[in-house]
Amino acid sequence: MGENETGPQLAGEIPPLAGMKTALYSKEDAVRTNAASIIKGLFVALALAVVMGCSGQPLSTREKGTFIGTGVGAATGAIIGAAVGNPLAGAAIGGGIGALGGYAVGNEMQNRENENAQTQAQISSQQRQLESQQRQIQQLKSSGETE
């Protein structure tokens, strides 16, 4: 049994490699670190929300989907990452995956909104044509009765 950087070496303990940190964290340190990382992530998300909210123009459905997907993915990733000891990496990976998923969903919703708007415009145009034709029919009937 000998001494190493962190104190006495126990029998059967593998000594640390050169340059390798051997700091041991207590559960309190890990929880404190994870909580701080989650709080930092929430501040970043809040900052993004403020920046996007102040852009001047309303968000499109596609942008809303991407934004929501990013937030949900980052939050989920941070929770999963905290469980394995790295909430920032989890939040980054989850945010990226969430952004892709949110974009896909938002894009599909935006495309459907565009299709619905186009269909509604066609219906309105056809309605105006029908009303015009009905007026013409009424005029023809009226002029036929007067002759």
Side-chain angles (χ1 to χ4, degrees):
M1 289 190 255
E3 293 268 334
N4 66 17
E5 296 173 3
T6 60
Q9 184 177 352
L10 302 174
E13 182 180 349
I14 299 172
L17 299 174
M20 180 183 222
K21 291 185 179 181
T22 59
L24 299 174
Y25 289 105
S26 69
K27 283 194 173 195
E28 288 178 4
D29 290 338
V31 169
R32 193 175 305 119
T33 301
N34 290 340
S37 296
I38 290 172
I39 290 170
K40 288 177 189 174
L42 290 174
F43 278 125
V44 169
L46 180 64
L48 284 173
V50 168
V51 168
M52 292 187 78
C54 296
S55 68
Q57 300 217 354
L59 297 176
S60 69
T61 303
R62 186 178 297 117
E63 292 166 337
K64 288 177 190 174
T66 303
F67 186 64
I68 291 170
T70 302
V72 170
T76 304
I79 291 168
I80 293 170
V84 296
N86 201 343
L88 289 178
I93 293 168
I97 292 171
L100 289 174
Y103 175 81
V105 170
N107 187 50
E108 183 63 29
M109 291 174 66
Q110 182 77 42
N111 290 342
R112 288 192 185 222
E113 283 179 8
N114 292 343
E115 289 172 5
N116 288 343
Q118 186 177 11
T119 301
Q120 190 59 42
Q122 289 174 345
I123 290 172
S124 295
S125 173
Q126 290 172 353
Q127 184 66 32
R128 286 190 301 275
Q129 287 176 351
L130 282 172
E131 290 169 358
S132 173
Q133 290 171 353
Q134 286 174 344
R135 283 192 301 273
Q136 289 174 354
I137 290 171
Q138 288 300 325
Q139 289 174 351
L140 289 172
K141 284 183 180 178
S142 295
S143 67
E145 291 175 359
T146 57
E147 290 178 5

